[in-house]
Amino acid sequence: MDRIDAQPLTAASADRLDRLFRLYNARLLGFTATRTRDFATAEDVVSETWIRAALSLHQLQADDDRAYGWLRSIAVRAAVDQYRPRRASEQPRDWTDATVSVSLPAAPPADADALAFAALTPRQAAVWKLKSQGLSDRQIALRLGRSETAIWKRKHAGARRLRPSFGAVA
C-alpha cells in the first residue's frame, strides 16, 4: 500500500477507527498470535494492521459489526509482509554458517532406534510410523480419524522426545 496516497483521518473516521479498535483488537491479536506462534511478532503485525486500516478506512463500506473480515484480511497481508525480506541485502546468500557440526558416535548400537521410539506415546508412535511410510499429515489425519492440527502436534511433540536420543542439537 502506498502511504502517500492515503487520505487524512477526519474526526468521524478517527472515532470509527477507535470503535473498531475497541471491538476487534483483542480478536485480531489472538488470530495473529495463532498464525505467527509468537506473541511479540503478533503484536507487531496487529500494529501494522491498524496503521494500514487507518490509511484505508475510507474504503471500508461495511458497518462496524461486520468489519472484522476486512481487518483480518489486512492482518494476513501484514503478517506475510512481516516475514518477507524487505531488501535484496536481507536475502541469504551464503549458507555455510547455517550448517551445524555435530559429532555423531562412530557406530550406534543396533537397538538404539528402537529404544528411542519407546520414549514416544502410542499415538506419537503411530504418527511417526505412518510418516516414515511417506504419508502426508493430511493422509495420516484421514487414516487415524484426527485433525491435521492434532497430527502436526503429535509429530512435533514426538520429535522433541526423539531429539535427545539421536544427539541432535535442540
Side-chain angles (χ1 to χ4, degrees), residues 98-116:
T99 59
V100 177
S101 63
V102 177
S103 60
L104 296 174
D111 59 348
D113 293 346
L115 292 175

Side-chain angles (χ1 to χ4, degrees), residues 16-47:
R16 185 173 190 196
L17 186 66
D18 183 54
R19 276 192 314 276
L20 292 173
F21 182 84
R22 284 185 275 119
L23 280 171
Y24 298 117
N25 188 55
R27 192 170 171 190
L28 280 174
L29 189 57
F31 170 73
T32 56
T34 58
R35 297 292 186 236
T36 61
R37 298 185 188 272
D38 178 33
F39 191 74
T41 304
E43 287 178 328
D44 292 343
V45 169
V46 171
S47 296

Side-chain angles (χ1 to χ4, degrees), residues 62-115:
D63 57 340
D64 292 351
D65 295 333
R66 297 174 188 226
Y68 178 71
W70 179 73
L71 289 168
R72 185 174 163 163
S73 66
I74 293 173
V76 168
R77 289 191 302 272
V80 168
D81 291 344
Q82 176 76 21
Y83 289 104
R84 182 179 293 140
R86 287 164 180 70
R87 295 182 296 276
S89 63
E90 293 180 19
Q91 297 285 345
R93 288 195 168 78
D94 183 17
W95 292 93
T96 56
D97 61 341
T99 59
V100 177
S101 63
V102 177
S103 60
L104 296 174
D111 59 348
D113 293 346
L115 292 175

